[in-house]
Amino acid sequence: VKTESDESEKRSQSNMVTSILVHIVHLISGVSYFENGRSAILSLKDPHRLCLNWCKCIDFRFLHYHTNGCNLLKRYALEGLASMSKSEQLRDMLICCGVVWPLMNCALLYDPTLDSSPNMTEDFESTISQAEVNYQAFLATRALGMLCGVMRGDLSTTPNPSLCDAMKNILTPPLARMLSNSQSEELLRTLNLNVENPVRLWDNKMRAELVSFVDLMEENTRSVECEDIKAVLEACSNFEYSNLSNEVNIGGIYIRIFNNMEIKDAIRDIPDISHFARSLIQFIGRSIQKSDHRENGEEVTEEKSSNHSRVMEDDSHWLSISDNRFVMAVRSVLHLVQLDGIVDDVICEKQSIEVILSLLNLSQHDQVMDLGCDILLLMSPKKGFADVFADCGALHIIMSTLIFE
């Protein structure tokens, strides 16, 4: 039978262990700031085991209850994680050890109603204040950004396409793009909002689904160790929010929401209209090309961008031309063209004209063909468009279409 004395002794031992760990983690965190320090960590007999234990210092899975110093243990572990992320080898080991999931849990604990500045006390405490929790949420999002390789300046690291794809799937592309120096606070706040606009779509139901998924992944990584990052993140590719099943995001914009708004209101929050227009054109062209390949019985594979500096912005998805969401994408281009001059620079590009003309060849899809004609009708009076139109031999295509009809 356990006595009160036994319990007190057990807590005292746990406090002593935590105290020792705090000093060790603080030391390693400082050492890992330097390249030579990271090389020294990699030269250990079993650096993978160190990474595994480092994750435990973030999720506290080895503690049955908070002990004196737990506030500093977690803070130093998160600070050290940022430095370790600068080494590709250490970064990959940490991901394989499941560090992503406790980091996500840290971010989800953020309270936007409180001051985000940390309590910089170095005192050993047995509880973690909400101010400290908020600071740890910032450290966690910074670490996620560095693990993805999307940070800039002193925090820049090698791009990690596999983790970027996973983050885009479980955070949604617009929120995943916030894993950068300037937008981490915005990401943390958005995770606590109910918002629906062309740029962001997030609510309490999605947050609950994310929490459940992260908890499941964290539990799974405790029982399974894997050395392949893609295998570790494979479950992320199958994760889907229930209310996003019929949504399509192109260039960071939810086009259903965009199409349902007044165009002047819809573009207000879009940071780069030209990028959105160009993404739509590329999506439409890619979808037509892939649909043709599928109809011809050819194998269709996803494309991956070779521009690693924009890996978080990469769009490689496509839809069948018979999908209603493909029609929505074409309609989005028409909406942009209807606001005179806003995307003329994009629509007047040769590639854009070729894609728009290809819509006229989809005679089996009257709605798409009509939308393509409407776009051409609005753009044809403009000299810049007419010049490129003539140079790329488009008149011949138009005449062929008329003859076919």
Side-chain angles (χ1 to χ4, degrees):
V1 179
K2 290 184 179 179
T3 65
E4 185 175 335
S5 176
D6 292 335
E7 187 67 20
S8 176
E9 183 179 352
K10 193 172 183 179
R11 281 184 176 274
S12 178
Q13 290 175 348
S14 294
N15 286 335
M16 182 177 65
V17 170
T18 304
S19 176
I20 295 171
L21 279 174
V22 166
H23 292 296
I24 293 174
V25 169
H26 196 191
L27 175 63
I28 297 176
S29 178
V31 167
S32 64
Y33 180 81
F34 302 97
E35 186 175 352
N36 287 342
R38 295 190 290 273
S39 298
I41 293 173
L42 286 170
S43 68
L44 294 173
K45 183 178 180 181
D46 190 359
H48 182 272
R49 186 170 183 81
L50 171 66
C51 293
L52 193 62
N53 288 328
W54 202 267
C55 295
K56 293 177 181 179
C57 293
I58 298 173
D59 66 17
F60 288 171
R61 71 178 73 167
F62 67 97
L63 294 176
H64 296 291
Y65 38 72
H66 284 186
T67 56
N68 203 32
C70 60
N71 59 318
L72 298 180
L73 179 62
K74 194 166 188 175
R75 184 199 300 179
Y76 295 151
L78 288 167
E79 289 175 346
L81 189 59
S83 297
M84 291 181 182
S85 299
K86 292 188 174 184
S87 163
E88 278 191 65
Q89 287 178 272
L90 285 175
R91 178 197 70 185
D92 291 351
M93 287 182 196
L94 286 162
I95 294 173
C96 288
C97 290
V99 75
V100 171
W101 315 120
L103 290 178
M104 288 294 300
N105 268 325
C106 285
L108 289 164
L109 293 174
Y110 179 80
D111 183 349
T113 65
L114 296 181
D115 183 9
S116 57
S117 52
N119 175 12
M120 294 307 293
T121 178
E122 300 295 324
D123 294 338
F124 281 58
E125 298 177 353
S126 58
T127 59
I128 302 179
S129 67
Q130 186 59 52
E132 177 76 26
V133 168
N134 280 10
Y135 178 57
Q136 291 173 0
F138 275 103
L139 293 177
T141 53
R142 182 184 72 176
L144 282 170
M146 294 182 73
L147 289 170
C148 287
V150 297
M151 303 290 269
R152 296 177 293 276
D154 293 339
L155 300 178
S156 63
T157 53
T158 306
N160 187 349
S162 295
L163 185 56
C164 283
D165 287 343
M167 289 296 103
K168 284 190 286 187
N169 210 49
I170 65 175
L171 284 176
T172 74
L175 269 62
R177 291 186 180 97
M178 296 179 188
L179 286 171
S180 62
N181 311 48
S182 59
Q183 293 185 295
S184 58
E185 182 175 5
E186 191 174 2
L187 168 61
L188 292 170
R189 291 186 180 279
T190 302
L191 288 172
N192 290 275
L193 294 177
N194 287 296
V195 58
E196 179 176 306
N197 60 46
V199 179
R200 297 177 204 167
L201 180 54
W202 191 261
D203 58 26
N204 289 333
K205 181 180 179 183
M206 294 175 69
R207 178 186 170 89
E209 290 177 3
L210 176 60
V211 169
S212 296
F213 177 75
V214 170
D215 287 344
L216 176 64
M217 292 300 296
E218 190 169 14
E219 186 63 34
N220 288 344
T221 55
R222 292 181 182 183
S223 56
V224 178
E225 291 188 21
C226 183
E227 297 182 1
D228 183 5
I229 290 181
K230 291 184 178 180
V232 170
L233 301 175
E234 185 177 2
C236 298
S237 62
N238 298 320
F239 176 69
E240 184 178 32
Y241 291 103
S242 57
N243 61 339
L244 294 185
S245 57
N246 293 317
E247 299 286 352
V248 58
N249 187 286
I250 302 174
I253 308 301
Y254 290 101
I255 60 172
R256 176 191 62 82
I257 301 172
F258 175 81
N259 288 346
N260 288 340
M261 295 177 66
E262 289 291 331
I263 182 64
K264 291 184 178 180
D265 294 329
I267 66 172
R268 187 173 298 149
D269 295 325
I270 298 177
D272 189 340
I273 299 295
S274 293
H275 172 68
F276 174 43
R278 193 167 285 110
S279 297
L280 282 168
I281 293 294
Q282 292 170 351
F283 172 84
I284 293 168
R286 187 165 56 243
S287 295
I288 293 173
Q289 181 185 40
K290 299 285 189 180
S291 294
D292 287 344
H293 289 330
R294 174 175 285 178
E295 288 179 4
N296 294 332
E298 301 175 28
E299 183 179 355
V300 179
T301 57
E302 294 291 325
E303 299 172 354
K304 294 297 179 183
S305 172
S306 59
N307 185 358
H308 283 185
S309 64
R310 290 181 60 84
V311 67
M312 195 60 90
E313 288 77 21
D314 177 37
D315 275 337
S316 61
H317 62 301
W318 62 278
L319 291 169
S320 167
I321 58 176
S322 60
D323 193 306
N324 287 333
R325 292 171 295 176
F326 175 78
V327 180
M328 288 165 54
V330 180
R331 193 178 300 280
S332 293
V333 175
L334 177 59
H335 285 335
L336 289 173
V337 170
Q338 286 172 334
L339 197 59
D340 188 43
I342 192 170
V343 291
D344 283 5
D345 58 329
V346 176
I347 303 301
C348 290
E349 294 173 357
K350 181 180 178 181
Q351 179 190 6
S352 299
I353 293 176
E354 290 174 345
V355 169
I356 295 168
L357 286 172
S358 67
L359 297 174
L360 305 186
N361 294 325
L362 304 178
S363 56
Q364 71 275 34
H365 301 284
D366 293 341
Q367 190 177 7
V368 172
M369 197 171 175
D370 289 344
L371 290 170
C373 289
D374 290 341
I375 295 170
L376 287 174
L377 187 63
L378 289 169
M379 292 300 300
S380 56
K382 301 182 179 183
K383 184 179 183 303
F385 183 85
D387 289 343
V388 180
F389 189 86
D391 290 343
C392 66
L395 287 173
H396 174 72
I397 298 174
I398 292 290
M399 293 302 297
S400 299
T401 303
L402 290 173
I403 293 171
F404 177 78
E405 290 294 321

Short mmCIF file of all heavy atoms in Angstrom, two decimals, residues 250 255 258-259 263 273 276-285 325-340 342-344 346-348 352-353 355-356 359 371-372 374-376 378-379 385:
data_model
loop_
_atom_site.label_atom_id
_atom_site.label_comp_id
_atom_site.label_asym_id
_atom_site.label_seq_id
_atom_site.Cartn_x
_atom_site.Cartn_y
_atom_site.Cartn_z
N ILE A 250 -7.11 27.07 -55.10
CA ILE A 250 -6.18 27.31 -56.20
C ILE A 250 -5.45 28.61 -55.93
O ILE A 250 -6.08 29.65 -55.73
CB ILE A 250 -6.91 27.38 -57.55
CG1 ILE A 250 -7.68 26.09 -57.81
CG2 ILE A 250 -5.93 27.65 -58.68
CD1 ILE A 250 -8.56 26.13 -59.04
N ILE A 255 -12.16 28.88 -54.34
CA ILE A 255 -12.84 29.49 -55.48
C ILE A 255 -14.36 29.46 -55.35
O ILE A 255 -15.04 30.31 -55.93
CB ILE A 255 -12.39 28.84 -56.82
CG1 ILE A 255 -12.70 27.35 -56.86
CG2 ILE A 255 -10.92 29.09 -57.05
CD1 ILE A 255 -12.45 26.74 -58.23
N PHE A 258 -14.98 32.55 -53.45
CA PHE A 258 -14.64 33.67 -54.33
C PHE A 258 -15.75 33.93 -55.34
O PHE A 258 -16.16 35.08 -55.54
CB PHE A 258 -13.33 33.36 -55.06
CG PHE A 258 -12.94 34.38 -56.09
CD1 PHE A 258 -12.31 35.56 -55.72
CD2 PHE A 258 -13.20 34.16 -57.44
CE1 PHE A 258 -11.95 36.50 -56.67
CE2 PHE A 258 -12.84 35.09 -58.39
CZ PHE A 258 -12.21 36.27 -58.00
N ASN A 259 -16.27 32.89 -55.96
CA ASN A 259 -17.30 33.04 -56.98
C ASN A 259 -18.62 33.52 -56.42
O ASN A 259 -19.42 34.14 -57.14
CB ASN A 259 -17.51 31.71 -57.72
CG ASN A 259 -16.36 31.36 -58.64
OD1 ASN A 259 -15.51 32.20 -58.94
ND2 ASN A 259 -16.31 30.12 -59.09
N ILE A 263 -17.29 40.68 -56.84
CA ILE A 263 -15.89 40.61 -57.21
C ILE A 263 -15.03 41.64 -56.46
O ILE A 263 -13.92 41.33 -56.02
CB ILE A 263 -15.72 40.77 -58.75
CG1 ILE A 263 -14.25 40.66 -59.15
CG2 ILE A 263 -16.31 42.08 -59.23
CD1 ILE A 263 -13.64 39.32 -58.88
N ILE A 273 -3.27 39.31 -56.75
CA ILE A 273 -4.29 38.95 -57.74
C ILE A 273 -3.67 38.28 -58.96
O ILE A 273 -4.20 37.31 -59.51
CB ILE A 273 -5.09 40.20 -58.18
CG1 ILE A 273 -5.80 40.81 -56.98
CG2 ILE A 273 -6.10 39.83 -59.26
CD1 ILE A 273 -6.87 39.93 -56.39
N PHE A 276 -2.92 34.70 -58.26
CA PHE A 276 -4.16 33.93 -58.27
C PHE A 276 -4.61 33.64 -59.70
O PHE A 276 -4.95 32.50 -60.05
CB PHE A 276 -5.24 34.69 -57.50
CG PHE A 276 -6.60 34.05 -57.55
CD1 PHE A 276 -6.77 32.68 -57.39
CD2 PHE A 276 -7.74 34.84 -57.74
CE1 PHE A 276 -8.04 32.10 -57.42
CE2 PHE A 276 -9.00 34.26 -57.78
CZ PHE A 276 -9.15 32.90 -57.63
N ALA A 277 -4.60 34.67 -60.54
CA ALA A 277 -5.02 34.50 -61.94
C ALA A 277 -4.13 33.51 -62.67
O ALA A 277 -4.60 32.63 -63.40
CB ALA A 277 -5.01 35.85 -62.66
N ARG A 278 -2.83 33.63 -62.45
CA ARG A 278 -1.88 32.73 -63.12
C ARG A 278 -2.06 31.30 -62.61
O ARG A 278 -1.96 30.34 -63.39
CB ARG A 278 -0.46 33.24 -62.89
CG ARG A 278 0.60 32.58 -63.77
CD ARG A 278 1.91 33.33 -63.73
NE ARG A 278 1.86 34.56 -64.52
CZ ARG A 278 1.87 35.79 -64.00
NH1 ARG A 278 1.91 35.96 -62.69
NH2 ARG A 278 1.82 36.84 -64.79
N SER A 279 -2.33 31.14 -61.32
CA SER A 279 -2.57 29.80 -60.76
C SER A 279 -3.82 29.18 -61.36
O SER A 279 -3.85 27.97 -61.64
CB SER A 279 -2.71 29.89 -59.24
OG SER A 279 -1.51 30.36 -58.64
N LEU A 280 -4.86 29.98 -61.57
CA LEU A 280 -6.08 29.48 -62.20
C LEU A 280 -5.81 28.99 -63.61
O LEU A 280 -6.25 27.91 -64.01
CB LEU A 280 -7.14 30.59 -62.24
CG LEU A 280 -7.89 30.89 -60.94
CD1 LEU A 280 -8.68 32.19 -61.07
CD2 LEU A 280 -8.82 29.75 -60.56
N ILE A 281 -5.07 29.80 -64.38
CA ILE A 281 -4.75 29.43 -65.76
C ILE A 281 -3.94 28.14 -65.80
O ILE A 281 -4.22 27.22 -66.59
CB ILE A 281 -3.97 30.57 -66.46
CG1 ILE A 281 -4.86 31.80 -66.65
CG2 ILE A 281 -3.41 30.10 -67.79
CD1 ILE A 281 -6.02 31.60 -67.59
N GLN A 282 -2.96 28.03 -64.91
CA GLN A 282 -2.13 26.82 -64.87
C GLN A 282 -2.96 25.61 -64.46
O GLN A 282 -2.79 24.51 -65.01
CB GLN A 282 -0.96 27.03 -63.91
CG GLN A 282 0.05 28.06 -64.40
CD GLN A 282 1.07 28.43 -63.34
OE1 GLN A 282 0.95 28.06 -62.17
NE2 GLN A 282 2.09 29.18 -63.73
N PHE A 283 -3.85 25.81 -63.50
CA PHE A 283 -4.73 24.72 -63.05
C PHE A 283 -5.63 24.23 -64.18
O PHE A 283 -5.78 23.03 -64.41
CB PHE A 283 -5.57 25.19 -61.86
CG PHE A 283 -6.63 24.22 -61.44
CD1 PHE A 283 -6.34 23.18 -60.58
CD2 PHE A 283 -7.94 24.33 -61.92
CE1 PHE A 283 -7.32 22.27 -60.19
CE2 PHE A 283 -8.92 23.43 -61.54
CZ PHE A 283 -8.61 22.40 -60.67
N ILE A 284 -6.23 25.17 -64.90
CA ILE A 284 -7.12 24.81 -66.01
C ILE A 284 -6.35 24.07 -67.10
O ILE A 284 -6.79 23.02 -67.59
CB ILE A 284 -7.80 26.08 -66.58
CG1 ILE A 284 -8.75 26.67 -65.54
CG2 ILE A 284 -8.55 25.76 -67.87
CD1 ILE A 284 -9.24 28.05 -65.88
N GLY A 285 -5.18 24.60 -67.47
CA GLY A 285 -4.38 23.94 -68.49
C GLY A 285 -3.93 22.56 -68.07
O GLY A 285 -3.97 21.60 -68.86
N ARG A 325 -16.21 21.38 -60.15
CA ARG A 325 -15.22 22.30 -59.59
C ARG A 325 -14.27 22.84 -60.65
O ARG A 325 -13.72 23.93 -60.50
CB ARG A 325 -14.44 21.61 -58.46
CG ARG A 325 -15.31 21.31 -57.23
CD ARG A 325 -14.60 20.43 -56.23
NE ARG A 325 -14.34 19.10 -56.78
CZ ARG A 325 -13.66 18.15 -56.16
NH1 ARG A 325 -13.16 18.38 -54.94
NH2 ARG A 325 -13.49 16.97 -56.71
N PHE A 326 -14.08 22.08 -61.75
CA PHE A 326 -13.32 22.60 -62.88
C PHE A 326 -14.06 23.77 -63.51
O PHE A 326 -13.46 24.79 -63.86
CB PHE A 326 -13.09 21.50 -63.91
CG PHE A 326 -12.41 21.97 -65.17
CD1 PHE A 326 -11.05 22.21 -65.19
CD2 PHE A 326 -13.15 22.20 -66.33
CE1 PHE A 326 -10.42 22.66 -66.35
CE2 PHE A 326 -12.54 22.65 -67.48
CZ PHE A 326 -11.16 22.88 -67.50
N VAL A 327 -15.36 23.63 -63.64
CA VAL A 327 -16.19 24.72 -64.17
C VAL A 327 -16.07 25.95 -63.27
O VAL A 327 -15.98 27.09 -63.74
CB VAL A 327 -17.67 24.29 -64.29
CG1 VAL A 327 -18.52 25.43 -64.84
CG2 VAL A 327 -17.80 23.05 -65.16
N MET A 328 -16.04 25.73 -61.95
CA MET A 328 -15.89 26.83 -61.00
C MET A 328 -14.59 27.58 -61.22
O MET A 328 -14.54 28.82 -61.12
CB MET A 328 -15.94 26.29 -59.57
CG MET A 328 -17.33 25.83 -59.13
SD MET A 328 -17.30 24.81 -57.61
CE MET A 328 -16.42 25.88 -56.50
N ALA A 329 -13.51 26.86 -61.55
CA ALA A 329 -12.21 27.49 -61.80
C ALA A 329 -12.27 28.38 -63.03
O ALA A 329 -11.75 29.51 -63.03
CB ALA A 329 -11.13 26.43 -61.95
N VAL A 330 -12.91 27.89 -64.10
CA VAL A 330 -13.04 28.69 -65.32
C VAL A 330 -13.90 29.93 -65.03
O VAL A 330 -13.59 31.04 -65.50
CB VAL A 330 -13.66 27.86 -66.46
CG1 VAL A 330 -13.81 28.71 -67.73
CG2 VAL A 330 -12.81 26.62 -66.74
N ARG A 331 -14.94 29.76 -64.24
CA ARG A 331 -15.80 30.89 -63.89
C ARG A 331 -15.03 31.94 -63.09
O ARG A 331 -15.29 33.15 -63.21
CB ARG A 331 -17.01 30.40 -63.10
CG ARG A 331 -18.11 31.45 -62.96
CD ARG A 331 -19.32 30.89 -62.21
NE ARG A 331 -19.89 29.74 -62.89
CZ ARG A 331 -20.71 29.83 -63.93
NH1 ARG A 331 -21.02 31.02 -64.42
NH2 ARG A 331 -21.20 28.75 -64.49
N SER A 332 -14.08 31.50 -62.27
CA SER A 332 -13.27 32.44 -61.50
C SER A 332 -12.44 33.33 -62.42
O SER A 332 -12.27 34.53 -62.16
CB SER A 332 -12.34 31.69 -60.54
OG SER A 332 -13.06 31.01 -59.54
N VAL A 333 -11.92 32.75 -63.50
CA VAL A 333 -11.17 33.55 -64.48
C VAL A 333 -12.09 34.60 -65.10
O VAL A 333 -11.71 35.77 -65.25
CB VAL A 333 -10.56 32.65 -65.58
CG1 VAL A 333 -9.87 33.51 -66.65
CG2 VAL A 333 -9.56 31.67 -64.98
N LEU A 334 -13.30 34.20 -65.45
CA LEU A 334 -14.26 35.14 -66.03
C LEU A 334 -14.55 36.28 -65.06
O LEU A 334 -14.61 37.45 -65.46
CB LEU A 334 -15.55 34.41 -66.40
CG LEU A 334 -16.69 35.29 -66.95
CD1 LEU A 334 -16.24 36.01 -68.23
CD2 LEU A 334 -17.94 34.45 -67.22
N HIS A 335 -14.72 35.96 -63.77
CA HIS A 335 -14.98 37.01 -62.78
C HIS A 335 -13.84 38.01 -62.71
O HIS A 335 -14.07 39.22 -62.61
CB HIS A 335 -15.20 36.38 -61.40
CG HIS A 335 -16.53 35.71 -61.24
ND1 HIS A 335 -17.63 36.05 -61.97
CD2 HIS A 335 -16.94 34.70 -60.42
CE1 HIS A 335 -18.66 35.30 -61.62
NE2 HIS A 335 -18.26 34.46 -60.68
N LEU A 336 -12.60 37.53 -62.78
CA LEU A 336 -11.45 38.42 -62.74
C LEU A 336 -11.40 39.31 -63.98
O LEU A 336 -11.10 40.50 -63.89
CB LEU A 336 -10.16 37.60 -62.62
CG LEU A 336 -9.91 36.91 -61.28
CD1 LEU A 336 -8.69 36.00 -61.36
CD2 LEU A 336 -9.71 37.94 -60.16
N VAL A 337 -11.71 38.73 -65.13
CA VAL A 337 -11.67 39.48 -66.38
C VAL A 337 -12.76 40.54 -66.41
O VAL A 337 -12.58 41.62 -66.98
CB VAL A 337 -11.81 38.52 -67.59
CG1 VAL A 337 -12.02 39.29 -68.88
CG2 VAL A 337 -10.58 37.64 -67.70
N GLN A 338 -13.88 40.26 -65.75
CA GLN A 338 -14.99 41.21 -65.73
C GLN A 338 -14.64 42.49 -64.98
O GLN A 338 -15.26 43.53 -65.22
CB GLN A 338 -16.22 40.55 -65.10
CG GLN A 338 -16.90 39.54 -66.00
CD GLN A 338 -17.99 38.75 -65.31
OE1 GLN A 338 -17.97 38.59 -64.09
NE2 GLN A 338 -18.94 38.24 -66.09
N LEU A 339 -13.67 42.41 -64.07
CA LEU A 339 -13.20 43.62 -63.39
C LEU A 339 -12.08 44.21 -64.25
O LEU A 339 -10.93 43.80 -64.16
CB LEU A 339 -12.70 43.28 -61.99
CG LEU A 339 -12.55 44.46 -61.02
CD1 LEU A 339 -13.88 45.18 -60.84
CD2 LEU A 339 -12.05 43.98 -59.67
N ASP A 340 -12.42 45.13 -65.09
CA ASP A 340 -11.58 45.60 -66.19
C ASP A 340 -10.16 45.96 -65.76
O ASP A 340 -9.95 46.79 -64.87
CB ASP A 340 -12.23 46.81 -66.85
CG ASP A 340 -11.51 47.22 -68.13
OD1 ASP A 340 -11.15 46.33 -68.90
OD2 ASP A 340 -11.31 48.43 -68.32
N ILE A 342 -7.72 44.37 -64.21
CA ILE A 342 -7.05 43.91 -62.99
C ILE A 342 -6.08 42.75 -63.25
O ILE A 342 -5.07 42.61 -62.56
CB ILE A 342 -8.08 43.54 -61.91
CG1 ILE A 342 -7.39 43.36 -60.56
CG2 ILE A 342 -8.85 42.29 -62.28
CD1 ILE A 342 -8.34 43.22 -59.40
N VAL A 343 -6.37 41.91 -64.26
CA VAL A 343 -5.47 40.78 -64.55
C VAL A 343 -5.09 40.74 -66.03
O VAL A 343 -4.72 39.70 -66.56
CB VAL A 343 -6.11 39.43 -64.14
CG1 VAL A 343 -6.21 39.32 -62.63
CG2 VAL A 343 -7.46 39.23 -64.79
N ASP A 344 -5.17 41.89 -66.70
CA ASP A 344 -4.84 41.92 -68.14
C ASP A 344 -3.43 41.43 -68.42
O ASP A 344 -3.18 40.76 -69.42
CB ASP A 344 -5.00 43.34 -68.69
CG ASP A 344 -6.47 43.70 -68.90
OD1 ASP A 344 -7.33 42.89 -68.53
OD2 ASP A 344 -6.75 44.79 -69.42
N VAL A 346 -1.78 39.12 -67.01
CA VAL A 346 -1.73 37.66 -66.99
C VAL A 346 -2.48 37.07 -68.17
O VAL A 346 -1.98 36.17 -68.87
CB VAL A 346 -2.32 37.11 -65.67
CG1 VAL A 346 -2.35 35.58 -65.69
CG2 VAL A 346 -1.52 37.61 -64.47
N ILE A 347 -3.68 37.57 -68.44
CA ILE A 347 -4.52 37.02 -69.51
C ILE A 347 -3.89 37.28 -70.88
O ILE A 347 -4.13 36.51 -71.82
CB ILE A 347 -5.94 37.63 -69.44
CG1 ILE A 347 -6.56 37.36 -68.06
CG2 ILE A 347 -6.84 37.02 -70.52
CD1 ILE A 347 -6.67 35.90 -67.70
N CYS A 348 -3.09 38.32 -71.01
CA CYS A 348 -2.46 38.64 -72.31
C CYS A 348 -1.19 37.83 -72.56
O CYS A 348 -0.55 37.99 -73.61
CB CYS A 348 -2.14 40.13 -72.39
SG CYS A 348 -3.61 41.17 -72.54
N SER A 352 -1.62 31.89 -71.36
CA SER A 352 -3.00 32.09 -70.93
C SER A 352 -3.96 32.03 -72.11
O SER A 352 -5.02 31.39 -72.04
CB SER A 352 -3.14 33.45 -70.22
OG SER A 352 -2.33 33.50 -69.07
N ILE A 353 -3.57 32.68 -73.20
CA ILE A 353 -4.43 32.68 -74.39
C ILE A 353 -4.59 31.26 -74.92
O ILE A 353 -5.70 30.84 -75.30
CB ILE A 353 -3.85 33.62 -75.47
CG1 ILE A 353 -3.93 35.07 -74.98
CG2 ILE A 353 -4.60 33.45 -76.79
CD1 ILE A 353 -3.30 36.08 -75.92
N VAL A 355 -4.47 28.48 -73.23
CA VAL A 355 -5.35 27.73 -72.32
C VAL A 355 -6.81 28.12 -72.55
O VAL A 355 -7.70 27.27 -72.62
CB VAL A 355 -4.96 27.97 -70.85
CG1 VAL A 355 -6.02 27.41 -69.90
CG2 VAL A 355 -3.61 27.32 -70.55
N ILE A 356 -7.07 29.42 -72.68
CA ILE A 356 -8.44 29.89 -72.91
C ILE A 356 -8.98 29.35 -74.23
O ILE A 356 -10.13 28.91 -74.32
CB ILE A 356 -8.49 31.43 -72.88
CG1 ILE A 356 -8.14 31.95 -71.48
CG2 ILE A 356 -9.87 31.93 -73.30
CD1 ILE A 356 -7.89 33.42 -71.40
N LEU A 359 -10.31 25.84 -74.23
CA LEU A 359 -11.66 25.65 -73.70
C LEU A 359 -12.68 25.53 -74.83
O LEU A 359 -13.72 24.88 -74.68
CB LEU A 359 -12.05 26.82 -72.79
CG LEU A 359 -11.20 27.02 -71.52
CD1 LEU A 359 -11.62 28.30 -70.80
CD2 LEU A 359 -11.33 25.82 -70.58
N LEU A 371 -18.17 29.72 -71.21
CA LEU A 371 -17.36 30.57 -70.33
C LEU A 371 -16.10 31.03 -71.05
O LEU A 371 -15.68 32.19 -70.93
CB LEU A 371 -17.00 29.82 -69.05
CG LEU A 371 -18.14 29.55 -68.06
CD1 LEU A 371 -17.69 28.59 -66.97
CD2 LEU A 371 -18.64 30.84 -67.45
N GLY A 372 -15.47 30.12 -71.83
CA GLY A 372 -14.30 30.48 -72.61
C GLY A 372 -14.61 31.55 -73.63
O GLY A 372 -13.84 32.50 -73.82
N ASP A 374 -17.00 33.79 -73.40
CA ASP A 374 -17.25 35.03 -72.67
C ASP A 374 -15.94 35.73 -72.31
O ASP A 374 -15.84 36.97 -72.38
CB ASP A 374 -18.04 34.75 -71.41
CG ASP A 374 -19.49 34.34 -71.70
OD1 ASP A 374 -19.96 34.63 -72.81
OD2 ASP A 374 -20.12 33.74 -70.81
N ILE A 375 -14.94 34.94 -71.91
CA ILE A 375 -13.63 35.51 -71.58
C ILE A 375 -13.01 36.16 -72.82
O ILE A 375 -12.50 37.30 -72.77
CB ILE A 375 -12.69 34.43 -71.00
CG1 ILE A 375 -13.23 33.93 -69.66
CG2 ILE A 375 -11.28 34.98 -70.82
CD1 ILE A 375 -12.51 32.70 -69.12
N LEU A 376 -13.04 35.47 -73.94
CA LEU A 376 -12.49 36.00 -75.19
C LEU A 376 -13.25 37.26 -75.62
O LEU A 376 -12.63 38.23 -76.10
CB LEU A 376 -12.58 34.95 -76.30
CG LEU A 376 -11.60 33.78 -76.20
CD1 LEU A 376 -11.89 32.75 -77.28
CD2 LEU A 376 -10.15 34.27 -76.32
N LEU A 378 -14.69 39.50 -73.77
CA LEU A 378 -14.31 40.63 -72.93
C LEU A 378 -12.89 41.12 -73.21
O LEU A 378 -12.59 42.32 -73.09
CB LEU A 378 -14.43 40.25 -71.45
CG LEU A 378 -15.85 40.09 -70.91
CD1 LEU A 378 -15.83 39.46 -69.52
CD2 LEU A 378 -16.55 41.44 -70.85
N MET A 379 -12.00 40.20 -73.60
CA MET A 379 -10.60 40.56 -73.80
C MET A 379 -10.28 41.00 -75.23
O MET A 379 -9.32 41.75 -75.45
CB MET A 379 -9.70 39.36 -73.45
CG MET A 379 -9.68 39.00 -71.98
SD MET A 379 -9.08 40.33 -70.90
CE MET A 379 -7.41 40.57 -71.55
N PHE A 385 -4.03 42.18 -75.87
CA PHE A 385 -4.55 40.83 -76.05
C PHE A 385 -4.61 40.46 -77.53
O PHE A 385 -4.21 39.36 -77.94
CB PHE A 385 -5.94 40.72 -75.42
CG PHE A 385 -6.55 39.35 -75.49
CD1 PHE A 385 -6.25 38.40 -74.53
CD2 PHE A 385 -7.41 39.00 -76.52
CE1 PHE A 385 -6.81 37.13 -74.58
CE2 PHE A 385 -7.98 37.74 -76.60
CZ PHE A 385 -7.67 36.79 -75.61
#
